[in-house]
């Protein structure tokens, strides 16, 4: 197995504050690796250390075989980095932005033209190439920013919340592009706080307060989750929800459409406990079904043990 990203005990402190706390992981060639966590979890800080933009406080890492501490300049040539705020020049046209990115990577002449043609085609923005960036909708800007990151055809892409603030249709569209990259053998390291997006990844690391609390494929995370989830259908679901949400054997309760989902620890006789509770409280018609946990459930269940 070829590991294109490898980090051990990576830590970043800002003064007394530990933003990234002793994390270790590796990413295989061609993998879509998701870094999933809430705001402030340490995602951007990790990406910056991997891209050779920020020095770790301790720990070590390699990207494409290059040391993230001593070979930062080399790393920049083999990666594409799309930062959290798409860094585009609003007063330049699409074409001018791409030419500018090209100059950063030292592309000229034929190689620059080839790169720009490829990016315009990939992003489907050829017909807008002479428009000012500030006139473009968010989804197009996003694809242009991605284009800027892949102009030099890098085998590894770091995408920092690439779809935040973009509408769902555009997000889907964007993920199709990411899949295509992955099929071409590129490796993708992508951060997100959208649970549904994490489902698209081959593997994900859940990060909270600078620590990785779980790391596996989405299916394995759900399968190995040490809680069970049930769906309750009943009339008056709002009343029932209010009645049961604070029961001691219920870790988490939430409303999904007109159903109630509850999460409980394993090995608790949930059906028995609920049926006697419902009997006492006059809830006579209901259906209780065990369901597959969602990634969000997995996240919430794991997150309870951690918080800043
Ligand atoms: N340059 C900095 N100086 C001090 N604190 C920082 C700096 N950069 C990030 N932080 C803090 O580190 C934590 C992690 O930030 P960040 O990596 O941006 O999280 P995320 O990308 O997951 O939202 C946050 O609490 C943030 O305020
Ligand atoms: Mg961030």
């Amino acid at each position: 197995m070829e590991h294109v990203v490898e980090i051990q005990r990576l830590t970043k402190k800002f003064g007394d504050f530990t933003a990234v706390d002793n994390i270790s992981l590796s990413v295989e060639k061609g993998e879509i690796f998701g870094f999933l966590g809430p705001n402030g979890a340490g995602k951007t800080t990790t990406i910056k250390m991997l891209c050779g933009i920020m020095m770790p406080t301790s720990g070590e890492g390699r990207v494409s075989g290059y040391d993230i501490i001593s070979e930062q300049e080399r790393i920049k040539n083999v990666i594409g980095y799309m930062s959290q705020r798409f860094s585009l020049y609003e007063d330049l046209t699409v074409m001018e932005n791409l030419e500018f990115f090209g100059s950063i990577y030292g592309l000229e002449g034929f190689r620059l033209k080839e790169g720009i043609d490829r990016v315009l085609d990939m992003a489907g923005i050829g017909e807008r190439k002479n428009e000012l960036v500030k006139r473009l909708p968010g989804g197009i800007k996003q694809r242009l920013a991605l284009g800027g990151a892949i102009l030099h055809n890098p085998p590894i892409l770091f995408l920092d919340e690439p779809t935040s603030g973009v509408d769902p249709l555009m997000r889907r569209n964007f993920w199709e592009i990411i899949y295509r990259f992955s099929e071409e053998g590129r490796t993708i390291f992508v951060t997100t706080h959208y649970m549904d997006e994490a489902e698209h990844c081959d593997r994900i690391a859940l990060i909270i307060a600078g620590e990785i609390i779980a790391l596996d494929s989405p299916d394995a995370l759900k399968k190995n989750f040490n809680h069970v989830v049930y769906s309750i259908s009943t009339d008056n679901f709002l009343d029932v929800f209010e009645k049961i949400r604070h029961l001691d054997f219920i870790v988490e309760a939430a409303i999904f459409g007109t159903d109630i989902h509850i999460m409980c620890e394993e090995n608790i006789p949930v059906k028995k406990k609920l049926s006697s509770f419902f009997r006492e409280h006059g809830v006579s018609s209901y259906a209780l079904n065990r369901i597959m946990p969602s990634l969000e459930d997995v996240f919430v269940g794991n997150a309870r043990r951690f918080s800043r």
Side-chain angles (χ1 to χ4, degrees), residues 94-167:
V94 167
M95 201 62 183
E96 288 164 344
N97 267 277
L98 290 175
E99 284 164 356
F100 176 77
F101 285 121
S103 69
I104 297 178
Y105 299 123
L107 296 179
E108 314 175 318
F110 174 76
R111 287 182 61 225
L112 178 61
K113 184 177 179 318
E114 182 277 328
I116 290 179
D117 287 347
R118 182 167 42 75
V119 163
L120 291 175
D121 181 51
M122 173 283 294
I125 51 177
E127 72 277 19
R128 312 193 78 152
K129 66 183 177 188
N130 295 318
E131 288 183 38
L132 288 180
V133 165
K134 65 181 169 199
R135 308 246 158 81
L136 298 175
I140 304 272
K141 283 187 194 175
Q142 171 206 37
R143 279 187 272 164
L144 174 59
L146 176 64
I150 62 155
L151 206 50
H152 54 312
N153 224 346
I156 310 170
L157 281 177
F158 289 93
L159 309 175
D160 196 0
E161 300 210 17
T163 61
S164 64
V166 176
D167 69 62

Side-chain angles (χ1 to χ4, degrees), residues 12-15 17-20 35-48 54 84 160-161 191-193 207 209-210 308:
K12 180 70 189 182
K13 295 188 177 182
F14 297 107
F17 177 74
T18 306
V20 174
F35 215 44
L36 174 68
N39 278 335
K43 303 182 297 296
T44 297
T45 305
T46 302
I47 273 207
K48 284 183 177 167
M54 187 183 269
Q84 191 165 355
D160 196 0
E161 300 210 17
T191 75
T192 181
H193 62 254
I207 178 167
R308 283 220 211 264

Side-chain angles (χ1 to χ4, degrees), residues 42-94:
K43 303 182 297 296
T44 297
T45 305
T46 302
I47 273 207
K48 284 183 177 167
M49 291 191 281
L50 290 175
C51 292
I53 301 165
M54 187 183 269
M55 273 289 180
T57 307
S58 62
E60 50 197 73
R62 289 186 172 270
V63 171
S64 196
Y66 298 124
D67 190 306
I68 61 169
I69 294 161
S70 60
E71 295 176 299
Q72 294 188 332
E73 283 310 311
R74 282 176 183 270
I75 288 175
K76 286 175 191 153
N77 294 324
V78 295
I79 64 158
Y81 168 51
M82 182 173 164
S83 68
Q84 191 165 355
R85 308 169 165 223
F86 316 149
S87 341
L88 297 172
Y89 290 89
E90 297 274 321
D91 290 322
L92 299 182
T93 65
V94 167

Side-chain angles (χ1 to χ4, degrees), residues 122-124 143 146 150 172-182 184 188:
M122 173 283 294
R143 279 187 272 164
L146 176 64
I150 62 155
R172 165 115 34 113
N173 205 302
F174 191 84
W175 273 94
E176 278 161 17
I177 298 176
I178 293 182
Y179 283 138
R180 232 178 298 145
F181 286 157
S182 161
E184 291 168 3
I188 293 143

